[in-house]
Amino acid sequence: METGLLIVALLQMMALIRNEPLTSERKYMALCLRSIIHGNFMPEETLLVSFPKNWCNGTTTLPKCHDVQLVDYVLENIHRDGLLSIHVNRPEDLSVQMTDDHLTLIHNYIIFTWPEEVHGDLIEALVSQLENLMSAGSWNPRARFLVVVTESDTRPTQLLALMICETLWTKSSIVNVVIMVPNSDDLLIYGDIHSFDLYTWFPYATTSCVEPRQVVRIDQCLPDNNGQPSSSKSLFPNKMPYNLQGC
């Protein structure tokens, strides 16, 4: 999406939620995301932010708008920092495609994802988002991908992260991905606020070769750490090992 359309999108979302304070959990999620962006994305690179259809409209009240509120807050922070060229992709913008002479290779993707319907499935929403992104001429499956799960899921945290990695690999052979997901497996030790785990997977780590069979938790964002990742290490290390496990 071009700059003018980005501003329109921001204003539309802000008009819906401008009078609502950001919840404590969403605020620390945004702080974690800001730290990840600053620590892993380069200033001269492009960033595309994607999010699914939502239930937030002119007649909808919170908490259904919490997810849109988070996306708006993160976009506003990125825009204010001025470090990256931002593009926005929404299912509602299917008719808004870059022309051939305005194609821009995307270096980084942040994919916010949540169920599109009240009883919908998160993976189905993610697949829809990926298909939309893949239809653009700027699509780059070799970019860095940060998938942000905004809501707790009934599935175990590690299983959900694995399912997301499998989905990205099946759809477009995406390897360079980090999954940020609420830890619904542990008891809440910070009141009603979850910690957020950061998962990835490594090809050739097992005899299954490239296909994802297990994920590794590489970091956490904790409320008592002001939402910052526990480690300062890169979340997107080189994933090509010396030992290819006979693959």
Side-chain angles (χ1 to χ4, degrees):
M1 180 180 292
E2 297 180 25
T3 303
L5 293 173
L6 169 61
I7 294 173
V8 171
L10 285 171
L11 291 175
Q12 287 174 341
M13 286 190 290
M14 289 175 68
L16 295 174
I17 58 179
R18 61 180 180 271
N19 295 322
E20 298 291 345
L22 203 67
T23 65
S24 298
E25 182 167 272
R26 292 299 189 271
K27 184 175 292 185
Y28 105 79
M29 286 175 62
L31 289 172
C32 181
L33 286 169
R34 187 171 186 267
S35 179
I36 291 173
I37 291 169
H38 279 258
N40 296 273
F41 300 165
M42 302 300 293
E44 67 274 10
E45 295 178 340
T46 51
L47 167 66
L48 189 147
V49 177
S50 168
F51 54 98
K53 293 179 181 179
N54 60 80
W55 318 312
C56 188
N57 54 51
T59 59
T60 304
T61 58
L62 295 176
K64 290 185 178 181
C65 292
H66 281 170
D67 294 325
V68 178
Q69 187 184 26
L70 170 66
V71 175
D72 174 64
Y73 187 80
V74 171
L75 283 171
E76 189 175 4
N77 283 338
I78 296 172
H79 182 67
R80 185 174 60 246
D81 291 344
L83 297 178
L84 296 155
S85 173
I86 313 171
H87 302 266
V88 177
N89 180 279
R90 302 181 298 174
E92 295 91 330
D93 298 324
L94 282 172
S95 61
V96 181
Q97 298 290 343
M98 291 183 180
T99 58
D100 290 342
D101 57 340
H102 287 89
L103 292 179
T104 302
L105 184 68
I106 303 298
H107 300 100
N108 307 286
Y109 291 83
I110 298 180
I111 303 178
F112 292 90
T113 191
W114 56 76
E116 294 182 339
E117 305 294 338
V118 176
H119 300 294
D121 182 69
L122 181 144
I123 299 298
E124 291 178 0
L126 178 61
V127 168
S128 178
Q129 287 177 262
L130 285 172
E131 291 175 348
N132 185 16
L133 293 170
M134 291 164 61
S135 68
S138 58
W139 172 244
N140 180 15
R142 299 296 173 259
R144 301 180 192 90
F145 287 79
L146 175 61
V147 179
V148 182
V149 179
T150 60
E151 304 286 345
S152 297
D153 194 88
T154 56
R155 289 161 289 207
T157 302
Q158 190 168 4
L159 174 60
L160 180 61
L162 176 60
M163 292 176 67
I164 292 173
C165 289
E166 290 174 339
T167 300
L168 269 64
W169 172 256
T170 301
K171 295 298 294 183
S172 196
S173 300
I174 296 169
V175 174
N176 207 13
V177 58
V178 171
I179 314 298
M180 180 176 176
V181 58
N183 189 332
S184 57
D185 304 331
D186 295 336
L187 295 175
L188 293 177
I189 58 176
Y190 304 100
D192 59 349
I193 299 178
H194 293 87
S195 61
F196 277 78
D197 292 342
L198 301 172
Y199 284 95
T200 193
W201 71 283
F202 292 88
Y204 308 107
T206 66
T207 54
S208 63
C209 298
V210 181
E211 294 184 6
R213 287 291 181 265
Q214 62 184 26
V215 290
V216 179
R217 190 175 73 182
I218 54 175
D219 212 331
Q220 280 185 302
C221 287
L222 303 173
D224 63 354
N225 195 32
N226 199 28
Q228 303 300 305
S230 301
S231 171
S232 60
K233 295 181 180 178
S234 171
L235 297 178
F236 297 92
N238 177 26
K239 290 189 173 183
M240 295 301 295
Y242 293 111
N243 184 358
L244 299 184
Q245 302 292 340
C247 297

